[in-house]
Structures are given as structure tokens and as C-alpha cells.
Amino acid sequence: VQLQASGGGLVQAGGSLSLSCAASGSTWNVNAMAWLRRAPGKEREFVAAISRTHNTYYADSVKGRFTISRDNAKNSIYLQMDNLKPEDTAVYYCAASRALTAYDYEYEYRGQGTLVTVSS
């Protein structure tokens, strides 16, 4: 499974940004797709995930601000990020797995990241 993320950029605190990710290859093998992130100097962490049936998980730090969605026909997921904070600054990675989980290490497929920078 190959994953291609796009949509990162620079935004001021309180602003919004949207990320997209398209999956290709053996996508029949994938149920859950997710967003992970790694902030400067920190460990990678789980952000949000969605199953084919649109069940979702969110990290507590983004609940109420981020929304994950999915288009199964396009093998794509999206992340709408609102009310962004400087601590959301990170490289965001698209990931995929056979099962829906909130543990970042359980996502065996991971794509190249896209940088999101939130200025204060």
C-alpha cells in the first residue's frame, strides 16, 4: 500500500488547514486509515483514524478541533484542522492498517509526511 499526503503549510494560530491522503496499491488489505504526527523533538503520536464504515478515533489533544473523513471510492482520507495551535506544529503522516486502532505503532503502512507549521 502506498500513501501520498498533501496539504501542509504555514498558518497562524486559530486558523484552519486541510490535509489529504490518497492510497494506492493493495488497498483491499486496508480497513483503517489514519493521521499520525511527529512534532520537533518529540515522539510520533496518533492523531485520528477512520474505518471503512466511518468509525473514528481521535487523540484527546485534537478532539473538537480536527475532523477526519473518508471517501472509500477514492481510497482517500482527509483531515480538517480548525483552531490550530502552535503545539500542532509537526510533520503529519498518513497511515493505514488492517484494523482500526489508536496506537500509532500498529499502523504498518505509512507514507511520506507533510509539514504543518502553526505560528503564534
Side-chain angles (χ1 to χ4, degrees):
V1 177
Q2 292 77 49
L3 301 162
Q4 182 65 51
S6 60
L10 174 64
V11 63
Q12 287 190 328
S16 298
L17 206 58
S18 182
L19 304 181
S20 299
C21 173
S24 60
S26 302
T27 56
W28 56 269
N29 203 28
V30 165
N31 173 31
M33 293 183 70
W35 292 98
L36 314 176
R37 68 185 181 186
R38 185 190 299 273
K42 294 190 176 181
E43 298 285 324
R44 186 183 64 214
E45 65 177 356
F46 170 84
V47 176
I50 187 167
S51 70
R52 285 188 181 275
T53 55
H54 302 279
N55 291 319
T56 57
Y57 286 166
Y58 289 96
D60 287 344
S61 60
V62 306
K63 276 181 184 175
R65 300 188 299 120
F66 290 12
T67 303
I68 190 169
S69 60
R70 181 168 180 162
D71 185 334
N72 288 327
K74 295 182 179 179
N75 289 317
S76 295
I77 62 168
Y78 310 92
L79 187 67
Q80 177 64 36
M81 303 183 291
D82 298 318
N83 191 22
L84 281 159
K85 303 176 180 180
E87 51 263 44
D88 293 317
T89 294
V91 176
Y92 285 71
Y93 299 89
C94 181
S97 176
R98 292 175 180 83
L100 185 64
T101 173
Y103 296 103
D104 65 290
Y105 55 84
E106 292 187 348
Y107 285 90
E108 62 263 46
Y109 305 107
R110 291 189 288 273
Q112 302 243 344
T114 184
L115 177 62
V116 172
T117 304
V118 184
S119 63
S120 56

